[in-house]
Amino acid sequence: MRIALPLPLLCAALAATPALAAPSAADCDVADFQTVLVPARTTTGPAGTDTPAVAIHEARAHWLDRRRVQWPGVEPAAGDAFRLHFAAQGGMDVRADERVAGADRTFELSHAREDVPPALAAKFRHVAAGVVLNVAAEDAALRELHRGQLVMTHEREGRVVRATAVQPAGALDDLYAAAAEPLALGATIRRARAGTVDAGAVAPAADGGATRFTLWAPTARSVGLCLYAADEGRATGFAPLRLDPRTGAWSAELRGELSRTYYRYVVDVHVRGTGFVRNRVTDPWSLGLGADSRRSVVVDLDAPDLKPPGWDAAKRPDRVAAPTDLVIYELHVRDFSRDDATVPPALRGKYLAFTRPDTVGSRSLRELSAAGVTDVHLLPAFDLATVPERGCVEPDVAGRGGPADEVRQALVAAVAARDCFNWGYDPFHYTVPEGSYATDASDGVTRIREFRAMVQALHRTGLRVGLDVVYNHTMAAGQDPQSVLDRVVPDYYHRLDALGRVERSTCCANTATENALMAKLMIDSAVVWARDYRIDSFRFDLMGHQ
């Protein structure tokens, strides 16, 4: 039997569930990065323990598209049933040999009558063979289902044989990607045409400028926007965001050009294995950040004071006709000048060290350019997760032996978590320059202006600038303070294994650029670096994992 789930029926079920209070201004100044509103139930076995077959903290099934679900390794016996259970606020109790409790709505799944289309089968060729089922529901109802807890069950005589969560990417892409891909995500400024406006009012500006905040979060129940005047201090404003059900994006347009305003989002979303969570999180599409990436910053990259003198008129070196002509010199931003006594102490290890023409390092770069080097390849210089942008320390190893000296190693290890150095392969935000290389990490725009000054100085030397980009992983995933993507759309931006765990073949949390909005983030980011920072070439790290 197949039961269709119309939206009015689903809405009626949701109306019977007491609503969680939406985020408010009071949430903006809470110190913790998360608040668990409804904890997940973890006792799923008959005696109060998880079982291999019934494990709703795992995601063994896969949405192939908006209506098809494949459950690998499961072949039903005659008379068995498959059901999808939905709880708007989570908290379902699912136990082997018992009936599901705590669902707001349950409906039957039917066996697919047609083969999976070849293109879809090719996309999910990594998914092992298993039963393919159809969900009979209107698109609007399907969208609503992804905004709560979903559990899929294999049942016999009404009692649970197996249970699992479902990996959502196939459904989210099918439901939203076509409409969401053209969006300008993040904070965007529309400049005033004439007159003055009241900055910060929650309404579009009729004659003046406006700032629009857009966050793709199709599985969120609510999203709020916290505004701050500075890198530290209490919130100065709050605005609820509204969901566009067609794109899955939440947005608010505020009056005035809110350039240099700090902000972050408050996202209420169900997190598998944790429960219904209120996450305080920065913008995945951030263009500016405060110190240690605690808050995003609204920036207009075309603003004149974000450009070094002569930026608009400066030309890029034109000395490469084909990629095979590149002669590349690899360079770490901090290492370039950290030990160069000809660089002023305040600029050692900083972007601005490249702008000093009479230093040992700059003279060496000119000599390399004259000798035929075409490109300086910068090791990762986007926002890093492991280097404190304020108050980093250096191990005191003066007088110790070489790298093999055990005492030296112990001194280095003792401050490793607070050290000023890292190679940089630990992405936090992809499209913002790293703050520890700026002279002021707290000011959200200093790093932008100084990164551009570095690029301009290298171009003046005749060297093109390449950037090492690391879109294949993030430093963290899940409910972690340094996780951004996974706390906005859980289980979407990262590649999951057969049990729904984040793959880590790269070293860290692999991203899933096969998913449309992760691909969009990668492309949007690369465009910003090429267009707005004049990066000439890219090294895409570990693309074999993509």
Side-chain angles (χ1 to χ4, degrees):
M1 179 174 65
R2 182 169 67 181
I3 301 175
L5 183 65
L7 184 60
L9 188 59
L10 177 60
C11 291
L14 296 181
T17 304
L20 296 170
S24 68
D27 294 296
C28 295
D29 297 318
V30 175
D32 201 354
F33 70 93
Q34 65 171 355
T35 301
V36 178
L37 304 174
V38 180
R41 292 181 180 269
T42 57
T43 54
T44 56
T49 58
D50 290 345
T51 69
V54 180
I56 61 174
H57 63 283
E58 295 179 347
R60 301 182 181 220
H62 301 254
W63 288 98
L64 304 183
D65 58 19
R66 68 186 67 190
R67 290 187 174 85
R68 290 185 181 90
V69 183
Q70 184 167 327
W71 196 343
V74 176
E75 294 296 340
D80 287 0
F82 291 89
R83 296 185 171 94
L84 190 67
H85 306 267
F86 168 78
Q89 297 174 10
M92 274 190 274
D93 190 357
V94 185
R95 301 170 187 262
D97 301 322
E98 297 184 17
R99 299 181 185 276
V100 174
D104 295 318
R105 185 71 189 174
T106 297
F107 62 101
E108 308 285 336
L109 305 180
S110 64
H111 291 269
R113 297 180 179 179
E114 300 177 352
D115 291 339
V116 176
L120 196 60
K123 179 178 179 180
F124 288 93
R125 60 188 179 275
H126 60 284
V127 177
V131 63
V132 178
L133 303 161
N134 284 336
V135 182
E138 301 169 358
D139 283 357
L142 290 170
R143 292 185 174 100
E144 184 63 29
L145 288 176
H146 288 285
R147 297 175 63 207
Q149 182 187 17
L150 283 176
V151 173
M152 188 174 175
T153 58
H154 174 197
E155 301 180 20
R156 188 167 295 145
E157 297 180 355
R159 297 184 181 276
V160 173
V161 177
R162 296 181 179 87
T164 184
V166 189
Q167 299 187 23
L172 298 183
D173 277 352
D174 192 31
L175 287 167
Y176 298 108
E181 284 178 329
L183 291 176
L185 296 174
T188 55
I189 295 174
R190 178 169 58 79
R191 294 180 179 176
R193 292 188 295 273
T196 59
V197 294
D198 296 326
V202 186
D207 299 314
T211 303
R212 187 172 187 84
F213 298 85
T214 307
L215 179 73
W216 191 73
T219 63
R221 178 63 55 188
S222 300
V223 179
L225 171 69
C226 299
L227 301 175
Y228 305 87
D231 184 43
E232 297 182 295
R234 299 181 65 82
T236 56
F238 176 83
L241 272 64
R242 297 184 62 182
L243 174 65
D244 177 356
R246 187 178 64 91
T247 64
W250 297 75
S251 62
E253 186 167 289
L254 308 186
R255 289 181 181 176
E257 299 179 29
L258 302 182
S259 180
R260 321 300 163 86
T261 298
Y262 293 71
Y263 70 99
R264 62 178 178 169
Y265 295 111
V266 183
V267 180
D268 286 0
V269 66
H270 183 266
V271 179
R272 173 168 53 93
T274 302
F276 227 89
V277 179
R278 178 161 293 167
N279 277 321
R280 298 165 190 87
V281 61
T282 47
D283 192 336
W285 266 258
S286 292
L287 295 178
L289 292 164
D292 296 321
S293 312
R294 293 187 305 271
R295 295 172 181 174
S296 300
V297 183
V298 180
V299 295
D300 176 3
L301 292 176
D302 286 330
D305 65 339
L306 293 189
K307 303 173 183 178
W311 176 259
D312 288 333
K315 295 182 178 180
R316 304 187 191 206
D318 183 15
R319 58 190 299 185
V320 174
T324 50
D325 295 334
L326 269 65
V327 180
I328 301 170
Y329 181 73
E330 184 179 275
L331 194 59
H332 186 278
V333 171
R334 180 171 175 267
D335 284 357
F336 170 70
S337 61
R338 192 200 71 161
D339 298 322
D340 187 345
T342 63
V343 175
L347 300 186
R348 292 175 192 169
K350 307 297 183 182
Y351 298 122
L352 290 184
F354 289 85
T355 68
R356 309 288 292 196
D358 296 327
T359 64
V360 169
S362 292
R363 289 196 294 271
S364 297
L365 289 177
R366 288 196 297 271
E367 292 171 0
L368 288 170
S369 178
V373 171
T374 63
D375 288 60
V376 164
H377 163 71
L378 298 176
L379 270 66
F382 47 72
D383 181 48
L384 316 178
T386 53
V387 176
E389 293 183 342
R390 291 188 302 189
C392 69
V393 298
E394 296 198 34
D396 183 5
V397 294
R400 299 297 177 183
D405 182 85
E406 293 184 359
V407 174
R408 181 188 181 103
Q409 291 176 358
L411 291 170
V412 170
V415 299
R418 298 175 291 126
D419 192 359
C420 299
F421 174 80
N422 195 282
W423 284 115
Y425 295 91
D426 51 351
F428 200 165
H429 298 82
Y430 287 122
T431 322
V432 183
E434 163 61 12
S436 66
Y437 303 148
T439 57
D440 184 354
S442 300
D443 175 38
V445 299
T446 296
R447 65 182 74 190
I448 296 171
R449 184 168 47 245
E450 293 180 353
F451 188 101
R452 285 172 158 175
M454 172 186 67
V455 171
Q456 186 178 33
L458 288 166
H459 281 171
R460 193 179 299 119
T461 306
L463 293 166
R464 292 159 30 101
V465 182
L467 186 63
D468 203 324
V469 287
V470 189
Y471 297 115
N472 63 82
H473 69 260
T474 57
M475 186 62 185
Q479 289 300 113
D480 184 282
Q482 293 183 322
S483 169
V484 177
L485 302 176
D486 220 15
R487 293 201 295 122
V488 174
V489 191
D491 289 343
Y492 177 81
Y493 284 103
H494 292 91
R495 186 172 297 126
L496 308 179
D497 69 9
L499 300 181
R501 300 170 301 193
V502 174
E503 291 277 14
R504 298 184 179 275
S505 62
T506 57
C507 80
C508 310
N510 291 16
T511 57
T513 48
E514 63 270 22
N515 297 340
L517 268 291
M518 183 60 219
K520 174 179 171 59
L521 175 57
M522 178 175 66
I523 294 168
D524 287 355
S525 174
V527 167
V528 168
W529 288 114
R531 180 191 62 210
D532 299 311
Y533 289 95
R534 299 189 178 173
I535 294 300
D536 302 292
S537 61
F538 295 94
R539 174 193 174 266
F540 286 84
D541 181 62
L542 293 178
M543 287 305 289
H545 294 259
Q546 298 300 88

